[in-house]
Amino acid sequence: MNPGQDAGARPRRIGVLVAIAIATLALDAISKAIVVATLPDRPQPIELVGGLLTLRVIRNGGAAFNIATGQTLVLTVIAAGVVVAILRYARRLRSLPWAVTLGLLLGGALGNFVDRLFRSPGVFRGHVVDWIELPHWPVFNLADASIVCGGVLAVLLASRGLQVDGTVQRDDKSGKPDETAEPDVTAEPDVTAEAQDVPVAGDDQSGGARPDAKR
């Protein structure tokens, strides 16, 4: 990638990251607002698709899937650190797959961070709204799903050697060429030795004048 292409790729990739993060945050916030306004009035959770999907509102004071319940303040600080880390990491962003991945991670982290920041029982101690329940799986929300999808994509991209800056790193033990290496096009063939062996027209190899074949 030449400097001109590189300069144009970064803003486009960051635009994709920001768009996905905003869309994820908006969908998460809208879905939580709807379920908080409608589902708590129902005495029983709503079962859909023959019980494969259940809509149930719970307030989660822990991390995703009810992990680390009661550590809301600590998790809020961690979430803020994750958001800052993603934004700093995005400065080297040149890869479209990584733009999608970081957008999902950022949007999901912001979705739950907003809950912890503004919902009851208080600032930095708010409980996250979870409302999606699957069989044999803890209740979660769209932000949790976005974080999981982003994490899976990050593992897949890293396993393939794709870096955030768009380069690909290969394991030397695999015997595959390193795709990050560029051929050296500046090297020129050594023609000195060949030029020394080429006789000049009119010269006699013995040092004397070259006789004419015919007179």
Side-chain angles (χ1 to χ4, degrees):
M1 180 180 294
N2 59 47
Q5 292 174 331
D6 182 72
R10 181 172 177 268
R12 289 195 297 270
R13 301 300 183 255
I14 292 181
V16 172
L17 185 156
V18 172
I20 292 178
I22 292 176
T24 301
L25 177 61
L27 289 175
D28 180 66
I30 292 172
S31 63
K32 288 174 179 176
I34 293 174
V35 299
V36 167
T38 57
L39 292 185
D41 296 333
R42 297 177 177 271
Q44 298 293 332
I46 301 176
E47 293 186 355
L48 303 174
V49 198
L52 295 178
L53 173 64
T54 302
L55 305 183
R56 181 197 309 270
V57 176
I58 67 170
R59 301 290 180 141
N60 178 14
F65 310 119
N66 290 309
I67 301 173
T69 302
Q71 303 295 323
T72 307
L73 180 58
V74 176
L75 294 171
T76 303
V77 175
I78 293 175
V82 170
V83 171
V84 173
I86 292 175
L87 293 177
R88 289 176 60 88
Y89 206 54
R91 293 184 301 176
R92 300 191 296 113
L93 184 62
R94 301 293 188 280
S95 167
L96 180 59
W98 272 110
V100 175
T101 299
L102 294 179
L104 290 173
L105 292 173
L106 180 60
L110 286 174
N112 288 334
F113 179 72
V114 169
D115 278 9
R116 295 191 178 99
L117 192 61
F118 296 111
R119 293 189 184 275
S120 61
V123 178
F124 290 106
R125 297 182 294 111
H127 291 178
V128 175
V129 175
D130 291 333
W131 57 277
I132 305 172
E133 184 177 12
L134 300 176
H136 312 293
W137 196 262
V139 184
F140 61 98
N141 55 45
L142 293 182
D144 297 333
S146 177
I147 292 172
V148 171
C149 292
V152 171
L153 284 175
V155 172
L156 292 176
L157 294 177
S159 65
R160 294 175 62 88
L162 181 61
Q163 305 298 302
V164 175
D165 59 4
T167 59
V168 179
Q169 290 186 351
R170 298 289 190 183
D171 187 359
D172 294 338
K173 296 180 180 180
S174 64
K176 296 180 180 180
D178 186 358
E179 295 185 16
T180 63
E182 298 181 356
D184 184 6
V185 297
T186 62
E188 297 181 356
D190 185 6
V191 297
T192 304
E194 296 180 0
Q196 292 177 350
D197 295 337
V198 177
V200 179
D203 290 344
D204 187 2
Q205 297 293 333
S206 62
R210 182 180 179 183
D212 293 337
K214 295 182 181 180
R215 293 191 181 274

